[in-house]
Amino acid sequence: MATGEEPSLDEIQWRSSQIAQGMGGIHTNTVLPYFYESPYYDRTSNNAILSSQALYNPSMFHIVATREAFEGRLRTMAGLEFMVTHDPSNGGQNVNNSGVWVIRKQNRRKRPGQDDEITSLSSYFVVGESVYMAPSVGNILGGRLLSTVTSLTKFLTTASALPIFTPSLGYNYLPSVPNAVSTASSLQTTQVSKESTPLPDTQLTLKSTKVSHLSEKASLPNLHGTSLLADSFRLSTTYRAEYMDENPLVGEPGSFILQKSREAAAQAQAQSQAAVKSAVVVKASAPPTPAPIPAPIKTEGLPAEVRKGKAGEKTPVTPGTGGKKRKKSKVVVGGEK
């Protein structure tokens, strides 16, 4: 653990241009030896044991000559080790690479008849000549949570002073201007000395003027609300028979037009024509209405002269006949007259 004077390893950056130039640059065979010079390196790891053995044993020099041979020998050992898990040059084949090497500190445990159990402890990045230590997941989450809690604390501290409680309005977050004005005026009136107290008549006039001003201010919203109500009633009575479905929107976004649908108009016209035709067909198929039979004349209760006619009344004579009676013709039966 880092003391109060020394910073944490995941908060520092290490680099050495002299060592990198002495090794001929950072490449696949020099990235691990360059990392050994950093403060992140552990001198008790298997890497340090093999390097020290190859330094005094010439027969092991071929192990540290290439990174592939060195890591192959590390896989046969158990314990703490440093391995390259990401090679941007792909073994020296990729010349134009990102230059970011990833070295992992891990613990290897051998299991007979099974694969090795590897526990990752930390990761490091080599970018150019600079070496960084990757922060752990716990540190990242702790930093984010600390930032969130700090922001929430500042917000709650600021918002705690905003709500104002009054018996008439309850809780609100914005102070009302009339209340502030009235409190200021009340403080001013309390600070005035008794010598400058006006006479009772002047107090009555002041109160009347204040009441008139308050009534005017109170009447302004009422008049506005009344005008809005009247305007709403006027619009309701003027356009009460119009609906949005009768006037669909036509056009494109930004240029919509209310236009009556042609299909609705054609359908209404067809319905009216069908109603007229059905009425004509019903009238033509109906049977003719018989003429009304006049009701018989009732003679009951009338005088006898009216029912039988007058005895001296004669049938009028047709002009030109001279009043002569017409003889009756005889019918000849069997040749006789």
Side-chain angles (χ1 to χ4, degrees), residues 70-318:
F70 186 79
E71 290 181 350
R73 184 62 179 267
L74 286 176
R75 292 186 179 92
T76 61
M77 303 172 65
L80 184 65
E81 62 185 13
F82 291 89
M83 299 281 289
V84 176
T85 58
H86 176 70
D87 184 359
S89 64
N90 194 14
Q93 299 179 4
N94 187 9
V95 179
N96 298 324
N97 54 72
S98 61
V100 180
W101 302 78
V102 180
I103 300 175
R104 181 178 297 168
K105 180 181 180 181
Q106 58 191 14
N107 187 17
R108 184 184 299 272
R109 188 171 70 89
K110 294 292 183 177
R111 295 185 298 179
Q114 298 180 2
D115 295 337
D116 297 343
E117 181 182 355
I118 299 174
T119 304
S120 179
L121 301 178
S122 58
S123 298
Y124 306 90
F125 301 98
V126 180
V127 183
E129 297 178 354
S130 301
V131 183
Y132 306 90
M133 179 179 179
S136 62
V137 177
N139 293 338
I140 295 175
L141 293 178
R144 297 294 176 86
L145 289 176
L146 180 61
S147 177
T148 304
V149 171
T150 304
S151 301
L152 287 175
T153 304
K154 292 181 180 179
F155 169 75
L156 294 176
T157 304
T158 306
S160 60
L162 293 178
I164 301 173
F165 177 78
T166 56
S168 58
L169 300 178
Y171 286 98
N172 55 359
Y173 294 90
L174 296 176
S176 58
V177 178
N179 292 339
V181 173
S182 62
T183 53
S185 62
S186 63
L187 290 175
Q188 291 178 359
T189 54
T190 54
Q191 293 175 359
V192 176
S193 62
K194 295 182 180 180
E195 295 178 357
S196 61
T197 304
L199 297 175
D201 295 337
T202 56
Q203 288 182 355
L204 293 175
T205 54
L206 289 174
K207 289 181 180 180
S208 61
T209 53
K210 289 181 180 179
V211 170
S212 62
H213 286 303
L214 291 175
S215 61
E216 289 178 359
K217 291 181 180 179
S219 62
L220 288 176
N222 295 334
L223 292 175
H224 183 64
T226 305
S227 62
L228 288 177
L229 181 61
D231 193 15
S232 301
F233 276 119
R234 182 183 60 81
L235 293 175
S236 177
T237 54
T238 305
Y239 305 103
R240 64 178 180 271
E242 295 185 5
Y243 301 93
M244 291 300 295
D245 54 355
E246 294 183 357
N247 299 320
L249 290 174
V250 178
E252 299 177 353
S255 60
F256 286 116
I257 301 174
L258 289 174
Q259 183 178 358
K260 191 172 183 181
S261 177
R262 295 182 179 179
E263 296 180 358
Q267 185 177 3
Q269 186 177 2
Q271 289 179 357
S272 61
Q273 292 179 358
V276 172
K277 290 181 180 180
S278 62
V280 171
V281 171
V282 169
K283 187 175 181 180
S285 60
T289 305
I293 301 173
I297 300 173
K298 296 182 180 181
T299 58
E300 297 178 358
L302 296 176
E305 292 81 1
V306 176
R307 288 183 294 174
K308 296 182 180 180
K310 295 182 180 180
E313 185 177 357
K314 297 181 179 180
T315 304
V317 180
T318 305

Side-chain angles (χ1 to χ4, degrees), residues 321-337:
T321 57
K324 295 181 179 180
K325 294 182 179 181
R326 185 177 180 182
K327 296 181 180 181
K328 297 181 180 179
S329 60
K330 296 181 179 180
V331 180
V332 179
V333 178
E336 294 182 358
K337 293 184 180 178

Side-chain angles (χ1 to χ4, degrees), residues 32-49:
L32 282 177
Y34 180 74
F35 179 77
Y36 296 161
E37 304 295 332
S38 67
Y40 310 108
Y41 183 60
D42 191 348
R43 305 295 175 180
T44 62
S45 62
N46 293 335
N47 300 64
I49 295 173

